[in-house]
Amino acid sequence: MAQSDTVDRILDAAEELFAERGFSETSLRMITSKAKVNLAAVNYHFGSKNALIHAVFGRFLTPFSATLEKAFDELEVRCDGKPPTLNQTLWVLTESAVRMPQRNEKGISIFMRLLGLAYTQSQGHLRKFLEQEYSEPFSRFMRLLKEATPQLSAVDRYWRIQFMLGATAFTMSSSDALQDILRNKLGVDTTVQEIAARLVPFLAAGMQAQDALLAPRAESKIPVA
């Protein structure tokens, strides 16, 4: 078996099992069994389970980051010195993800599930790895978001970004199921690209929605006996 084929087998198996079971619940033996390799091969190519997790993310994020940086460069040239709009910024991010070549038709769905797990499970090493390796394109994305939403306070922007990421992770990680439901309920077929096209204006509207927090009510005056 060629070395690159062995690595791909291990990464494919790890990616699928991590998405199905989570990181802690997936053992190296489960991965080697699915990949049909021995444990020594995992240790040789990756060294540790944490390094394998990093490699699973890197296989998607490294080409995605390069694609995203190029797309941001092109966007800023088109805008000719003016800040890109929120819709433009969100669409560049989403389009860069869904238009990337995928190893299989479920690639984006699996990756979004993994990304959600990175923040819901205790994986401090992974968050540190993502911040160290991919901070530049995502810092640029955050800067563009800030420029497009000057009316928001830092706290409001923080929470709206979290809500936006949550909606995106749910929608894209569940895209297969959502496509099936749409087909069964309404007889309509759709693509991941069409889902993204519907998602972007929804996210933009949420980011720019008027603050609905109510002013504190005046305290009721309690009669003194």
mmCIF file of all heavy atoms in Angstrom, residues 170-206:
data_model
loop_
_atom_site.group_PDB
_atom_site.id
_atom_site.type_symbol
_atom_site.label_atom_id
_atom_site.label_comp_id
_atom_site.label_asym_id
_atom_site.label_seq_id
_atom_site.Cartn_x
_atom_site.Cartn_y
_atom_site.Cartn_z
ATOM 1 N N PHE A 170 -25.437 24.187 11.997
ATOM 2 C CA PHE A 170 -26.588 23.294 11.975
ATOM 3 C C PHE A 170 -27.054 23.049 10.543
ATOM 4 O O PHE A 170 -27.268 21.908 10.125
ATOM 5 C CB PHE A 170 -27.750 23.866 12.787
ATOM 6 C CG PHE A 170 -29.050 23.151 12.523
ATOM 7 C CD1 PHE A 170 -29.295 21.901 13.080
ATOM 8 C CD2 PHE A 170 -30.001 23.701 11.678
ATOM 9 C CE1 PHE A 170 -30.470 21.210 12.806
ATOM 10 C CE2 PHE A 170 -31.188 23.028 11.395
ATOM 11 C CZ PHE A 170 -31.422 21.775 11.968
ATOM 12 N N THR A 171 -27.208 24.121 9.786
ATOM 13 C CA THR A 171 -27.749 23.991 8.435
ATOM 14 C C THR A 171 -26.834 23.173 7.530
ATOM 15 O O THR A 171 -27.283 22.248 6.847
ATOM 16 C CB THR A 171 -27.972 25.382 7.810
ATOM 17 O OG1 THR A 171 -28.866 26.127 8.639
ATOM 18 C CG2 THR A 171 -28.573 25.263 6.419
ATOM 19 N N MET A 172 -25.541 23.493 7.525
ATOM 20 C CA MET A 172 -24.639 22.827 6.602
ATOM 21 C C MET A 172 -24.297 21.409 7.061
ATOM 22 O O MET A 172 -24.123 20.515 6.225
ATOM 23 C CB MET A 172 -23.364 23.653 6.417
ATOM 24 C CG MET A 172 -23.610 25.059 5.886
ATOM 25 S SD MET A 172 -24.694 25.156 4.441
ATOM 26 C CE MET A 172 -23.702 24.325 3.202
ATOM 27 N N SER A 173 -24.226 21.173 8.371
ATOM 28 C CA SER A 173 -23.932 19.814 8.837
ATOM 29 C C SER A 173 -25.135 18.898 8.670
ATOM 30 O O SER A 173 -24.988 17.675 8.606
ATOM 31 C CB SER A 173 -23.487 19.832 10.310
ATOM 32 O OG SER A 173 -24.550 20.223 11.154
ATOM 33 N N SER A 174 -26.338 19.475 8.585
ATOM 34 C CA SER A 174 -27.562 18.695 8.410
ATOM 35 C C SER A 174 -28.103 18.797 6.995
ATOM 36 O O SER A 174 -29.270 18.470 6.757
ATOM 37 C CB SER A 174 -28.635 19.188 9.394
ATOM 38 O OG SER A 174 -28.165 19.226 10.717
ATOM 39 N N SER A 175 -27.285 19.246 6.066
ATOM 40 C CA SER A 175 -27.780 19.527 4.713
ATOM 41 C C SER A 175 -28.389 18.291 4.050
ATOM 42 O O SER A 175 -29.404 18.400 3.347
ATOM 43 C CB SER A 175 -26.664 20.107 3.840
ATOM 44 O OG SER A 175 -25.561 19.220 3.765
ATOM 45 N N ASP A 176 -27.801 17.110 4.273
ATOM 46 C CA ASP A 176 -28.354 15.894 3.663
ATOM 47 C C ASP A 176 -29.773 15.634 4.156
ATOM 48 O O ASP A 176 -30.686 15.371 3.368
ATOM 49 C CB ASP A 176 -27.474 14.688 3.988
ATOM 50 C CG ASP A 176 -26.110 14.764 3.324
ATOM 51 O OD1 ASP A 176 -25.990 15.508 2.337
ATOM 52 O OD2 ASP A 176 -25.186 14.093 3.800
ATOM 53 N N ALA A 177 -29.961 15.706 5.477
ATOM 54 C CA ALA A 177 -31.286 15.464 6.047
ATOM 55 C C ALA A 177 -32.275 16.532 5.618
ATOM 56 O O ALA A 177 -33.440 16.228 5.302
ATOM 57 C CB ALA A 177 -31.190 15.406 7.578
ATOM 58 N N LEU A 178 -31.830 17.788 5.591
ATOM 59 C CA LEU A 178 -32.716 18.881 5.195
ATOM 60 C C LEU A 178 -33.128 18.758 3.730
ATOM 61 O O LEU A 178 -34.276 19.046 3.361
ATOM 62 C CB LEU A 178 -32.030 20.222 5.442
ATOM 63 C CG LEU A 178 -31.757 20.557 6.920
ATOM 64 C CD1 LEU A 178 -30.929 21.824 7.037
ATOM 65 C CD2 LEU A 178 -33.052 20.694 7.696
ATOM 66 N N GLN A 179 -32.215 18.319 2.877
ATOM 67 C CA GLN A 179 -32.543 18.093 1.472
ATOM 68 C C GLN A 179 -33.582 16.980 1.329
ATOM 69 O O GLN A 179 -34.527 17.088 0.531
ATOM 70 C CB GLN A 179 -31.276 17.743 0.685
ATOM 71 C CG GLN A 179 -30.352 18.931 0.441
ATOM 72 C CD GLN A 179 -29.006 18.514 -0.099
ATOM 73 O OE1 GLN A 179 -28.349 17.638 0.458
ATOM 74 N NE2 GLN A 179 -28.582 19.132 -1.179
ATOM 75 N N ASP A 180 -33.432 15.920 2.117
ATOM 76 C CA ASP A 180 -34.389 14.812 2.070
ATOM 77 C C ASP A 180 -35.779 15.255 2.531
ATOM 78 O O ASP A 180 -36.794 14.881 1.933
ATOM 79 C CB ASP A 180 -33.907 13.655 2.950
ATOM 80 C CG ASP A 180 -32.720 12.918 2.345
ATOM 81 O OD1 ASP A 180 -32.502 13.060 1.120
ATOM 82 O OD2 ASP A 180 -32.019 12.212 3.086
ATOM 83 N N ILE A 181 -35.828 16.055 3.600
ATOM 84 C CA ILE A 181 -37.112 16.537 4.110
ATOM 85 C C ILE A 181 -37.803 17.407 3.071
ATOM 86 O O ILE A 181 -39.005 17.280 2.828
ATOM 87 C CB ILE A 181 -36.905 17.321 5.428
ATOM 88 C CG1 ILE A 181 -36.437 16.365 6.536
ATOM 89 C CG2 ILE A 181 -38.205 18.021 5.849
ATOM 90 C CD1 ILE A 181 -35.975 17.066 7.794
ATOM 91 N N LEU A 182 -37.049 18.296 2.440
ATOM 92 C CA LEU A 182 -37.623 19.173 1.414
ATOM 93 C C LEU A 182 -38.161 18.358 0.243
ATOM 94 O O LEU A 182 -39.244 18.642 -0.290
ATOM 95 C CB LEU A 182 -36.558 20.166 0.925
ATOM 96 C CG LEU A 182 -37.010 21.188 -0.122
ATOM 97 C CD1 LEU A 182 -38.050 22.134 0.462
ATOM 98 C CD2 LEU A 182 -35.814 21.974 -0.651
ATOM 99 N N ARG A 183 -37.404 17.346 -0.144
ATOM 100 C CA ARG A 183 -37.824 16.499 -1.259
ATOM 101 C C ARG A 183 -39.107 15.727 -0.911
ATOM 102 O O ARG A 183 -40.038 15.631 -1.720
ATOM 103 C CB ARG A 183 -36.702 15.522 -1.606
ATOM 104 C CG ARG A 183 -36.972 14.666 -2.838
ATOM 105 C CD ARG A 183 -35.804 13.724 -3.112
ATOM 106 N NE ARG A 183 -34.547 14.445 -3.260
ATOM 107 C CZ ARG A 183 -33.552 14.377 -2.380
ATOM 108 N NH1 ARG A 183 -33.661 13.633 -1.282
ATOM 109 N NH2 ARG A 183 -32.447 15.056 -2.585
ATOM 110 N N ASN A 184 -39.166 15.195 0.324
ATOM 111 C CA ASN A 184 -40.317 14.394 0.721
ATOM 112 C C ASN A 184 -41.554 15.249 0.992
ATOM 113 O O ASN A 184 -42.682 14.837 0.685
ATOM 114 C CB ASN A 184 -39.981 13.577 1.976
ATOM 115 C CG ASN A 184 -38.922 12.512 1.704
ATOM 116 O OD1 ASN A 184 -38.800 12.033 0.576
ATOM 117 N ND2 ASN A 184 -38.153 12.166 2.721
ATOM 118 N N LYS A 185 -41.355 16.430 1.569
ATOM 119 C CA LYS A 185 -42.490 17.283 1.940
ATOM 120 C C LYS A 185 -43.020 18.100 0.768
ATOM 121 O O LYS A 185 -44.234 18.258 0.604
ATOM 122 C CB LYS A 185 -42.082 18.237 3.071
ATOM 123 C CG LYS A 185 -41.779 17.562 4.397
ATOM 124 C CD LYS A 185 -43.041 17.070 5.072
ATOM 125 C CE LYS A 185 -42.728 16.521 6.458
ATOM 126 N NZ LYS A 185 -43.953 16.002 7.132
ATOM 127 N N LEU A 186 -42.104 18.655 -0.044
ATOM 128 C CA LEU A 186 -42.514 19.586 -1.088
ATOM 129 C C LEU A 186 -42.174 19.111 -2.496
ATOM 130 O O LEU A 186 -42.504 19.789 -3.478
ATOM 131 C CB LEU A 186 -41.868 20.961 -0.847
ATOM 132 C CG LEU A 186 -42.225 21.649 0.478
ATOM 133 C CD1 LEU A 186 -41.475 22.960 0.600
ATOM 134 C CD2 LEU A 186 -43.731 21.888 0.584
ATOM 135 N N GLY A 187 -41.504 17.975 -2.600
ATOM 136 C CA GLY A 187 -41.153 17.466 -3.917
ATOM 137 C C GLY A 187 -40.126 18.312 -4.635
ATOM 138 O O GLY A 187 -40.093 18.351 -5.868
ATOM 139 N N VAL A 188 -39.276 18.995 -3.877
ATOM 140 C CA VAL A 188 -38.286 19.912 -4.453
ATOM 141 C C VAL A 188 -36.876 19.402 -4.157
ATOM 142 O O VAL A 188 -36.562 19.082 -3.007
ATOM 143 C CB VAL A 188 -38.449 21.342 -3.889
ATOM 144 C CG1 VAL A 188 -37.339 22.248 -4.405
ATOM 145 C CG2 VAL A 188 -39.822 21.897 -4.251
ATOM 146 N N ASP A 189 -36.050 19.338 -5.188
ATOM 147 C CA ASP A 189 -34.637 19.001 -5.018
ATOM 148 C C ASP A 189 -33.835 20.290 -4.910
ATOM 149 O O ASP A 189 -34.164 21.297 -5.550
ATOM 150 C CB ASP A 189 -34.127 18.184 -6.197
ATOM 151 C CG ASP A 189 -34.660 16.762 -6.179
ATOM 152 O OD1 ASP A 189 -34.677 16.154 -5.101
ATOM 153 O OD2 ASP A 189 -35.071 16.268 -7.255
ATOM 154 N N THR A 190 -32.790 20.263 -4.111
ATOM 155 C CA THR A 190 -31.943 21.441 -3.959
ATOM 156 C C THR A 190 -30.494 21.009 -3.830
ATOM 157 O O THR A 190 -30.201 19.833 -3.594
ATOM 158 C CB THR A 190 -32.367 22.275 -2.737
ATOM 159 O OG1 THR A 190 -31.707 23.542 -2.762
ATOM 160 C CG2 THR A 190 -32.021 21.571 -1.423
ATOM 161 N N THR A 191 -29.592 21.948 -3.990
ATOM 162 C CA THR A 191 -28.160 21.673 -3.882
ATOM 163 C C THR A 191 -27.585 22.415 -2.684
ATOM 164 O O THR A 191 -28.214 23.309 -2.119
ATOM 165 C CB THR A 191 -27.420 22.140 -5.152
ATOM 166 O OG1 THR A 191 -27.531 23.577 -5.243
ATOM 167 C CG2 THR A 191 -28.019 21.499 -6.397
ATOM 168 N N VAL A 192 -26.365 22.035 -2.318
ATOM 169 C CA VAL A 192 -25.685 22.723 -1.222
ATOM 170 C C VAL A 192 -25.475 24.193 -1.572
ATOM 171 O O VAL A 192 -25.606 25.074 -0.721
ATOM 172 C CB VAL A 192 -24.336 22.034 -0.908
ATOM 173 C CG1 VAL A 192 -23.541 22.846 0.108
ATOM 174 C CG2 VAL A 192 -24.573 20.627 -0.383
ATOM 175 N N GLN A 193 -25.185 24.467 -2.837
ATOM 176 C CA GLN A 193 -24.994 25.854 -3.269
ATOM 177 C C GLN A 193 -26.282 26.665 -3.092
ATOM 178 O O GLN A 193 -26.233 27.832 -2.677
ATOM 179 C CB GLN A 193 -24.548 25.890 -4.738
ATOM 180 C CG GLN A 193 -23.109 25.466 -4.975
ATOM 181 C CD GLN A 193 -22.930 23.949 -4.961
ATOM 182 O OE1 GLN A 193 -23.906 23.206 -4.950
ATOM 183 N NE2 GLN A 193 -21.678 23.504 -4.957
ATOM 184 N N GLU A 194 -27.424 26.059 -3.404
ATOM 185 C CA GLU A 194 -28.705 26.757 -3.239
ATOM 186 C C GLU A 194 -29.021 26.982 -1.762
ATOM 187 O O GLU A 194 -29.572 28.022 -1.390
ATOM 188 C CB GLU A 194 -29.825 25.953 -3.903
ATOM 189 C CG GLU A 194 -29.742 25.971 -5.421
ATOM 190 C CD GLU A 194 -30.702 24.996 -6.066
ATOM 191 O OE1 GLU A 194 -31.223 24.108 -5.368
ATOM 192 O OE2 GLU A 194 -30.947 25.124 -7.283
ATOM 193 N N ILE A 195 -28.671 26.017 -0.930
ATOM 194 C CA ILE A 195 -28.869 26.185 0.515
ATOM 195 C C ILE A 195 -28.052 27.383 0.998
ATOM 196 O O ILE A 195 -28.541 28.230 1.750
ATOM 197 C CB ILE A 195 -28.464 24.913 1.279
ATOM 198 C CG1 ILE A 195 -29.403 23.756 0.926
ATOM 199 C CG2 ILE A 195 -28.492 25.163 2.792
ATOM 200 C CD1 ILE A 195 -28.961 22.418 1.484
ATOM 201 N N ALA A 196 -26.794 27.456 0.570
ATOM 202 C CA ALA A 196 -25.929 28.565 0.965
ATOM 203 C C ALA A 196 -26.488 29.892 0.490
ATOM 204 O O ALA A 196 -26.446 30.903 1.214
ATOM 205 C CB ALA A 196 -24.518 28.350 0.424
ATOM 206 N N ALA A 197 -27.032 29.918 -0.735
ATOM 207 C CA ALA A 197 -27.581 31.158 -1.278
ATOM 208 C C ALA A 197 -28.777 31.641 -0.464
ATOM 209 O O ALA A 197 -29.014 32.844 -0.344
ATOM 210 C CB ALA A 197 -27.995 30.940 -2.737
ATOM 211 N N ARG A 198 -29.538 30.720 0.104
ATOM 212 C CA ARG A 198 -30.665 31.103 0.959
ATOM 213 C C ARG A 198 -30.199 31.478 2.367
ATOM 214 O O ARG A 198 -30.826 32.298 3.042
ATOM 215 C CB ARG A 198 -31.677 29.956 1.053
ATOM 216 C CG ARG A 198 -32.384 29.652 -0.260
ATOM 217 C CD ARG A 198 -33.327 28.462 -0.122
ATOM 218 N NE ARG A 198 -33.959 28.144 -1.397
ATOM 219 C CZ ARG A 198 -35.056 28.732 -1.863
ATOM 220 N NH1 ARG A 198 -35.643 29.674 -1.143
ATOM 221 N NH2 ARG A 198 -35.568 28.383 -3.027
ATOM 222 N N LEU A 199 -29.112 30.874 2.783
ATOM 223 C CA LEU A 199 -28.623 31.098 4.145
ATOM 224 C C LEU A 199 -27.998 32.478 4.315
ATOM 225 O O LEU A 199 -28.206 33.145 5.346
ATOM 226 C CB LEU A 199 -27.599 30.016 4.499
ATOM 227 C CG LEU A 199 -26.962 30.059 5.890
ATOM 228 C CD1 LEU A 199 -28.028 29.920 6.973
ATOM 229 C CD2 LEU A 199 -25.916 28.950 6.031
ATOM 230 N N VAL A 200 -27.241 32.941 3.315
ATOM 231 C CA VAL A 200 -26.493 34.198 3.448
ATOM 232 C C VAL A 200 -27.382 35.395 3.771
ATOM 233 O O VAL A 200 -27.092 36.145 4.717
ATOM 234 C CB VAL A 200 -25.635 34.455 2.198
ATOM 235 C CG1 VAL A 200 -25.111 35.883 2.173
ATOM 236 C CG2 VAL A 200 -24.454 33.484 2.162
ATOM 237 N N PRO A 201 -28.482 35.659 3.027
ATOM 238 C CA PRO A 201 -29.307 36.823 3.383
ATOM 239 C C PRO A 201 -29.962 36.700 4.750
ATOM 240 O O PRO A 201 -30.175 37.700 5.433
ATOM 241 C CB PRO A 201 -30.357 36.883 2.257
ATOM 242 C CG PRO A 201 -30.327 35.550 1.612
ATOM 243 C CD PRO A 201 -28.947 35.018 1.782
ATOM 244 N N PHE A 202 -30.253 35.477 5.172
ATOM 245 C CA PHE A 202 -30.807 35.261 6.509
ATOM 246 C C PHE A 202 -29.787 35.653 7.580
ATOM 247 O O PHE A 202 -30.117 36.356 8.545
ATOM 248 C CB PHE A 202 -31.205 33.792 6.657
ATOM 249 C CG PHE A 202 -31.655 33.406 8.039
ATOM 250 C CD1 PHE A 202 -32.963 33.627 8.444
ATOM 251 C CD2 PHE A 202 -30.767 32.834 8.941
ATOM 252 C CE1 PHE A 202 -33.381 33.282 9.725
ATOM 253 C CE2 PHE A 202 -31.171 32.486 10.222
ATOM 254 C CZ PHE A 202 -32.491 32.700 10.618
ATOM 255 N N LEU A 203 -28.541 35.229 7.388
ATOM 256 C CA LEU A 203 -27.489 35.561 8.349
ATOM 257 C C LEU A 203 -27.224 37.064 8.374
ATOM 258 O O LEU A 203 -27.059 37.657 9.448
ATOM 259 C CB LEU A 203 -26.203 34.819 7.996
ATOM 260 C CG LEU A 203 -26.249 33.287 8.028
ATOM 261 C CD1 LEU A 203 -24.923 32.721 7.561
ATOM 262 C CD2 LEU A 203 -26.599 32.778 9.417
ATOM 263 N N ALA A 204 -27.197 37.677 7.198
ATOM 264 C CA ALA A 204 -26.950 39.116 7.124
ATOM 265 C C ALA A 204 -28.047 39.896 7.832
ATOM 266 O O ALA A 204 -27.778 40.869 8.551
ATOM 267 C CB ALA A 204 -26.832 39.548 5.666
ATOM 268 N N ALA A 205 -29.300 39.472 7.648
ATOM 269 C CA ALA A 205 -30.417 40.154 8.313
ATOM 270 C C ALA A 205 -30.311 40.016 9.820
ATOM 271 O O ALA A 205 -30.574 40.963 10.570
ATOM 272 C CB ALA A 205 -31.743 39.583 7.812
ATOM 273 N N GLY A 206 -29.904 38.850 10.283
ATOM 274 C CA GLY A 206 -29.744 38.644 11.716
ATOM 275 C C GLY A 206 -28.636 39.496 12.302
ATOM 276 O O GLY A 206 -28.767 40.063 13.392
#
